[in-house]
Amino acid sequence: MITDEKLLVEGCQRGDRPAQKALYDMYSGKMMAVCMRYVKNIEDAQDILQEGFIKVFTNLNRYSGTGQFGGWVRRIIVNCALEHLRRADVLREAFDIEDVQIEDEADDVSPYEVSGDTILKCIASLPDGFRTVFNLYAIEEYSHKDIGQMLGISEGTSRSQYARARKMLQKMILQNIKHNG
């Protein structure tokens, strides 16, 4: 089995099936985790993953070889997740959420008091718009300007959604600590 990433990419560009399988095996687990951050069920995540890898393989000739290949794959997967959310029309409704009440009591939550799994579960339970903006900003490290362009919202809306998501997460984590502590 080929394990060198550069050789795998070159093999995939030539249409070598074993190289494609090896590349898929190398990245599918990590990319499935990315998909699961954007959708709430495994079936949708699997659809996004499949669609994303089809795009990866059909667009390999566009990969310039500069930068990390994994980052290039990740951008494609994230864009597929966003396309999925747009097609499902969950983002339009999600960005209209203005009446969600977020209390300020959770400001002192330490991230060291909860497990990573708990934090991921809390992120997954955020409303679609909050979760999407939170993932794009906090995890994928896009700017609010870029998020606004990607989602068709204003930069201010992106900032507001992120702030609300963060407050909601803090509240959920605090409740988890109180419940399990």
Side-chain angles (χ1 to χ4, degrees), residues 30-40 44-46 48-49 77 81:
K30 291 177 187 175
M31 295 306 121
M32 183 63 167
V34 170
C35 295
M36 288 299 298
R37 283 201 315 266
Y38 288 91
V39 294
K40 293 183 179 182
D44 287 343
Q46 289 170 333
I48 293 165
L49 184 70
I77 298 295

Side-chain angles (χ1 to χ4, degrees), residues 86 91-96 98 129-130 132-134 136 143-162:
R86 279 188 211 102
L91 293 179
R92 182 181 53 81
E93 295 171 12
F95 293 120
D96 291 337
E98 294 298 329
F130 288 6
T132 301
V133 171
F134 184 85
L136 290 170
S143 69
H144 287 295
K145 180 179 179 180
D146 290 341
I147 294 168
Q149 291 171 347
M150 294 166 78
L151 301 178
I153 59 176
S154 72
E155 186 176 338
T157 299
S158 176
R159 288 182 190 284
S160 172
Q161 294 288 308
Y162 175 73

Side-chain angles (χ1 to χ4, degrees), residues 10-80:
E10 290 170 359
C12 290
Q13 289 172 328
R14 291 189 309 270
D16 179 13
R17 293 283 184 204
Q20 290 173 337
K21 172 140 178 37
L23 189 76
Y24 177 84
D25 290 345
M26 181 182 282
Y27 285 102
S28 62
K30 291 177 187 175
M31 295 306 121
M32 183 63 167
V34 170
C35 295
M36 288 299 298
R37 283 201 315 266
Y38 288 91
V39 294
K40 293 183 179 182
N41 67 63
I42 195 146
E43 293 83 12
D44 287 343
Q46 289 170 333
D47 288 346
I48 293 165
L49 184 70
Q50 179 179 355
E51 183 180 326
F53 270 98
I54 289 169
K55 288 184 178 187
V56 166
F57 290 126
T58 57
N59 292 297
L60 266 176
N61 61 331
R62 293 184 180 179
Y63 175 62
S64 66
T66 58
Q68 291 188 350
F69 181 74
W72 183 79
V73 172
R74 180 186 206 97
R75 279 191 301 280
I76 290 173
I77 298 295
V78 167
N79 284 329
C80 285

